[in-house]
Amino acid sequence: NICPNSSCDGGGMFASGGGNYILNNVGVYDNHADDRGGGIRLRGSETIATLTKVSIYHNDCAFGGGMSIDNGADVTLDKVTISKNTTSQGGGIIVDNSQPTIINSIIWGNTGSYSAIQTLNGGSPAISYSDIQNGWSGTGNINANPLFVSANNGDFNLQVGSPCINAGDPNSPLDPDGSIADIGALYYHCDEGF
């Protein structure tokens, strides 16, 4: 887990100017940044990052409460949950002059103008099979309350009846229970019924 920290940029993590970063099964929460990326800031065309099964929550900053992806950073988010972050602009993510790939992810329940995603300077995320508050065009995307168990307490497990269960990319690896991939960082075990 990456928590709690405070900095000018990227409260939990700041990567700029190069490198290949892989985050898997990580929680990034309770961080603060004065400027961009309350949880994470990924910056620069030489910066490559892949986030898988990552929960980014309860972070705050001025721009990009959950994270900022900018200046050409090459970023892929797969099975990421971004929720309960606070900012003035770009509650979940600010995408500035970058084209990240976002798949099987939830961006929901963040506060600030553009509560889910704000794009600047030609920022253009390619989003599919994701649950984006207020909607986003792309194959398989939905705009529906994900029915977290308790987002205020950092429990982003899905409840029975969540629209995110079995709604991920059918070409993604199956969930551990053998069902179609769920949307979000934490999967719902279908043996309990859906």
Side-chain angles (χ1 to χ4, degrees):
N1 290 324
I2 302 173
C3 67
N5 299 288
S6 181
S7 71
C8 179
D9 285 305
M13 175 185 173
F14 180 32
S16 177
N20 191 349
Y21 303 89
I22 298 172
L23 276 68
N24 189 24
N25 290 312
V26 175
V28 180
Y29 57 93
D30 294 339
N31 299 291
H32 168 78
D34 293 335
D35 189 20
R36 285 189 177 219
I40 298 173
R41 183 175 186 190
L42 302 169
R43 180 178 190 273
S45 60
E46 301 299 316
T47 300
I48 301 168
T50 303
L51 283 67
T52 308
K53 298 180 185 172
V54 175
S55 299
I56 302 170
Y57 61 99
H58 294 174
N59 302 288
D60 72 90
C61 69
F63 307 101
M67 66 187 306
S68 175
I69 302 169
D70 55 270
N71 287 22
D74 182 359
V75 178
T76 299
L77 307 180
D78 186 1
K79 292 186 160 290
V80 172
T81 296
I82 300 175
S83 185
K84 305 307 274 185
N85 299 288
T86 305
T87 185
S88 61
Q89 295 181 31
I93 303 175
I94 278 190
V95 177
D96 185 352
N97 189 29
S98 295
Q99 291 79 39
T101 298
I102 302 172
I103 186 169
N104 300 323
S105 295
I106 300 171
I107 305 174
W108 194 275
N110 302 284
T111 57
S113 63
Y114 302 93
S115 61
I117 302 169
Q118 181 175 10
T119 59
L120 301 170
N121 300 312
S124 179
I127 303 175
S128 61
Y129 295 98
S130 293
D131 187 5
I132 309 297
Q133 188 167 6
N134 302 317
W136 198 271
S137 63
T139 302
N141 289 337
I142 61 174
N143 174 19
N145 187 331
L147 299 179
F148 295 129
V149 169
S150 182
N152 287 335
N153 295 311
D155 186 347
F156 297 99
N157 283 288
L158 303 174
Q159 296 182 53
V160 173
S162 168
C164 297
I165 297 172
N166 297 333
D169 184 349
N171 294 316
S172 292
L174 298 176
D175 280 338
D177 61 7
S179 66
I180 293 172
D182 296 338
I183 295 174
L186 304 173
Y187 89 101
Y188 178 89
H189 194 77
C190 284
D191 281 351
E192 299 174 14
F194 175 59

